[in-house]
Structure formats: C-alpha cells, structure tokens
Amino acid sequence: MKVAVFGKRRQSREDAPLIFDLINSLSEHNVFITAERLFFEAMTRLTGDALPVDDVFEGDDFTADFAISIGGDGTFLRTARWVGAKEIPIIGINTGHLGFLAEESIKSAPQLIESLIEGKYFIESRSLLEVRAVEGDIRSSLSGWAYALNEVAILRQDTASMITVNTLLDNMPVASYQGDGLIISTPTGSTAYNLSVGGPIVQPTAPCWVLSPIAPHSLTMRPLVVSDSHIIETSVDSRAETYRLTLDGRTLILPINVKLRVRRADFVVKVFHSNGHNFIDTLSAKLLWGISKR
C-alpha cells in the first residue's frame, strides 16, 4: 500500500508528536509513505527532525492508493485540489477547528490506521462544481483548477453597491438575485458558506446543488435546491466594472461582462470513512444537531 501525506504547514507543537506517531505506525504496517514537500519541510522546521517517510514529492506529481490530509477543512480542500481527477480516496485527519471534511481526530489515528489496514472502511463519492466562462477560459487565472468541492460564490466588490446576479438553469431564467451575491453550493458545501447565509443542510451524496442568495434585497428570495444534472449560467449587473468569483475561498476578480457556466465535474472526490460513520452523527458532533439543552 502507498499513502501520500499532505498537511497544513502550521501545526501545533502538541500535535507534532502525534503526527510522527501516525507516520511511524503506517511504516510499521509496511505502508510506503510519500509526503508533500512543503509539509515535510514545515514539520522539519517545527521539530528539528525530518518526518520518517520513504519519499517526498511536489504538487500533484505523485501516485498513491490513499491520500492523508492532516489539518482542517481548508487543508482537505487543498488536498482534493492536488489529487484532482486521480480520484484517490482522501483520509481527513483533523488538527484544526470544526472539521466536517477532516473529521477524524489526530488522537484517534491508531484506530483509523487499524480500519485502513484491516479494510474496515467505505468510500463516499462527492461531486464537484466546474466553472467556465461562457466565452473564454478562466482556468489560467485559477492556476488550472477551476473546480470547487464546497461552493462557487459570485460576490460584489468590497467597495461597490449591491449587484444583480442573473441566473439561468438550462437556459431557463430562474431569478435575478439582487444583494451581495449568490452562492452555488455542493451538498458537501451545504454546511460551509451556504449554511452561514441560511441555506439548507444537504446529505453529502445527494445529487443536487443549492442556490443561496447573500443578503438578498427582497423578502421573496430564498435558497433553491436543484438537480445537479442542470447547467447553471450567470451574468452580473453592477455599477462597478468588476465582481469577485470565489471557488472554495480562492478569489478571482472578473470584468462585469464575463458570464459564467457552472456544471457538474466529470470526476469526483472520494472520501474515506471508517465503518460505522454516518452523516447525522457528524452533524451532532460538529453542530450539536438534535441535542436538547432542556
């Protein structure tokens, strides 16, 4: 078995020994371990010792049976970007804060490794959004990665008045959202930015998108759930000459005349879960879902 290890570069000194224990435990099970170079170098600076791995790689120049993401959800999103269309299952280990994607605690790493080695796990497929300009290509401005696992957000400039996001669904007009912008969320991202603007929580494997307006200037505008088989097209009206496009937090400033086309990507992100995992338990643990204080 070969495992590729990614991680955030600012780990705490308290977590560093646990990360070394994780790597050593994998080695004891004859797992070949390759580490992303920036993470490897950051851990070396933090501890003064090199991670005991078999190889080091840069960017997306790797192959593996599994990828391990050590950090928070932001680290998981970056790992998904490097994995790309390889569809290598990602194991999310949390050394950050909330951790919906990086859901396994670093303190439970021994049990996690046991599940991995003994095959006591299942793989869940998560859909991504692909974004293109209706005319032209925006990939070069997004480092070649014009995809989002959580959400695509179309936003006004910080100093501008509200914008209007005209939205089509398979060429059928849906709405002209006036306000601060519009979020197009995946089911995975329903507990992220979408949730903070009042959008619904969606089961991660549901075949749908959520359209959630941001600070809408109308009481009739509400989040809308649509099938992920549709193609969404947007155009923006604003007093400003530009608007912001964000994909999982990566921001691009676009001219006001650039129209976007959003569709389901041709590949998925595969997420590792130990047997017994379920989405409702995650909601209870992370958001206190269904827990009564009475």
Side-chain angles (χ1 to χ4, degrees):
M1 183 188 299
K2 183 177 181 181
V3 170
V5 180
F6 298 80
K8 68 177 183 179
R9 295 191 285 278
R10 292 187 177 182
Q11 302 286 352
S12 70
R13 291 193 177 275
E14 292 77 15
D15 287 333
L18 299 176
I19 294 172
F20 272 76
D21 289 345
L22 167 66
I23 301 299
N24 286 324
S25 181
L26 287 169
S27 296
E28 290 170 1
H29 287 88
N30 298 315
V31 175
F32 185 94
I33 308 165
T34 181
E36 192 270 329
R37 180 173 297 280
L38 293 177
F39 173 63
F40 176 84
E41 293 174 348
M43 290 301 298
T44 302
R45 289 192 299 270
L46 177 65
T47 64
D49 296 315
L51 280 176
V53 298
D54 301 293
D55 193 17
V56 176
F57 66 93
E58 295 186 14
D60 60 358
D61 185 21
F62 72 97
T63 59
D65 299 301
F66 294 91
I68 294 180
S69 169
I70 304 175
D73 284 351
T75 306
F76 191 102
L77 291 172
R78 286 190 292 274
T79 301
R81 178 182 173 187
W82 293 125
V83 169
K86 295 183 177 74
E87 295 192 343
I88 297 170
I90 303 174
I91 304 170
I93 297 179
N94 188 18
T95 60
H97 298 291
L98 194 59
F100 267 95
L101 293 167
E103 63 187 17
E104 300 285 352
S105 169
I106 185 65
K107 295 180 181 178
S108 64
Q111 295 85 357
L112 180 65
I113 292 172
E114 180 181 345
S115 297
L116 175 64
I117 299 301
E118 296 182 1
K120 297 177 180 179
Y121 62 84
F122 65 98
I123 305 299
E124 193 173 71
S125 294
R126 304 288 186 90
S127 58
L128 297 102
L129 292 158
E130 178 189 53
V131 184
R132 295 287 184 268
V134 172
E135 295 180 1
D137 193 346
I138 62 173
R139 281 179 295 181
S140 60
S141 300
L142 289 164
S143 302
W145 181 252
Y147 301 91
L149 177 58
N150 269 353
E151 75 279 315
V152 172
I154 300 164
L155 307 165
R156 66 179 180 86
Q157 287 282 47
D158 292 335
T159 57
S161 58
M162 67 180 181
I163 63 172
T164 300
V165 184
N166 304 301
T167 307
L168 304 176
L169 199 66
D170 291 341
N171 293 318
M172 177 181 67
V174 174
S176 293
Y177 296 99
Q178 289 183 306
D180 286 354
L182 175 69
I183 297 170
I184 304 173
S185 170
T186 68
T188 298
S190 70
T191 52
Y193 196 177
N194 168 76
L195 183 63
S196 71
V197 300
I201 296 174
V202 181
Q203 184 180 10
T205 54
C208 64
W209 310 133
V210 182
L211 278 62
S212 295
I214 306 170
H217 195 247
S218 172
L219 293 176
T220 63
M221 288 298 178
R222 293 291 182 266
L224 176 67
V225 180
V226 300
S227 169
D228 66 4
S229 64
H230 295 298
I231 294 175
I232 301 169
E233 292 191 4
T234 64
S235 61
V236 172
D237 295 325
S238 173
R239 294 177 182 174
E241 296 181 353
T242 59
Y243 66 96
R244 287 186 293 149
L245 169 68
T246 70
L247 284 74
D248 290 344
R250 292 171 293 118
T251 299
L252 179 64
I253 305 301
L254 295 176
I256 201 70
N257 61 351
V258 173
K259 299 178 181 179
L260 301 175
R261 181 177 290 124
V262 182
R263 60 180 291 273
R264 180 171 178 152
D266 293 329
F267 59 93
V268 297
V269 170
K270 294 187 175 180
V271 181
F272 172 101
H273 295 298
S274 299
N275 284 352
H277 164 87
N278 69 74
F279 180 55
I280 300 302
D281 284 347
T282 301
L283 287 181
S284 297
K286 306 298 182 180
L287 294 180
L288 304 182
W289 177 268
I291 296 178
S292 175
K293 294 297 183 180
R294 293 180 296 175

